[in-house]
Amino acid sequence: MLTRDIPGNPTVSSYDWRGFPVGMRALFGIPGLVMISSFLGFGAFVRSLGLQVDLGWYTTLFIWALPGQVVFLTMLAQGAGLIAIALAVTLTAVRLLPMVMLVLSKSRLEGQPRWPEYLAAHLIAITLWVIADRSLDRVPREQRLPWVMGIGTAMILAMLMTLTAGFYLSEALPPLVAIALVFMTPTFFGLSLVGGASYAFDYLAIGLAAALTPVGMIYFPQVDLLFAGVVGGLAAFLLLHPRRRRRR
């Protein structure tokens, strides 16, 4: 393996790309299988909105976080404007920033090209973070970023196949089973939000947003999820955010 000295740092190794196929194999555990199942539901969900399967492919490749994909396609199907859609998807992605920072801080090598980090950052979402949190420390440092890119690539390929299967199976399966597939996506959406909650105001924000969603559907149908998320999250922040309590 090539190494080189950098002033002020110990000898730094190059990335070892043998970690890439190791990362791809890491997909096949419980978190990865749960996500694969959720994308069967996502494919059925895309069809239930009256959209084509290629839109599901595009969101998987370019948004790559199921809550953001659901928000994008739901608002698109409702005829929302592009600025509102972009804002809503951005808000769903903000919560991933700490996960991206944590995984990259454990993976990057000083003095190496930055482009692998940019690609890896795009691939990091909740499921990858969960798997990395359990396994990344056991991976040699030089292999960690290739490992992250390997598991992220495997996830995208698997999800493209499973969402396609879910899209077409929803037409062929009995109605009750097709409905169950559709509901797998919002169920995964909700569980991922609860799983990422850490404080009381997180849970309050989720509860308020869920309660406000029917209001948004009635009065703001084109931006119902954006309305519920922003209003519920802001209310929870003002009521229960721990920093606000400490200032009083």
Side-chain angles (χ1 to χ4, degrees), residues 21-74:
V22 177
M24 295 188 77
R25 293 194 295 270
L27 171 65
F28 299 100
I30 292 177
L33 294 176
V34 169
M35 191 171 185
I36 287 173
S37 300
S38 72
F39 266 74
L40 281 172
F42 179 63
F45 176 75
V46 172
R47 189 169 199 127
S48 74
L49 294 175
L51 302 174
Q52 297 300 313
V53 69
D54 56 353
L55 283 173
W57 298 337
Y58 296 148
T59 61
T60 300
L61 291 171
F62 297 111
I63 297 177
W64 187 234
L66 191 55
Q69 293 174 246
V70 171
V71 168
F72 178 89
L73 292 179
T74 300

Side-chain angles (χ1 to χ4, degrees), residues 44 47 164-179 181:
R47 189 169 199 127
T164 303
F167 183 89
Y168 291 106
L169 282 174
S170 64
E171 179 73 11
L173 292 173
L176 193 59
V177 177
I179 291 172
L181 278 179

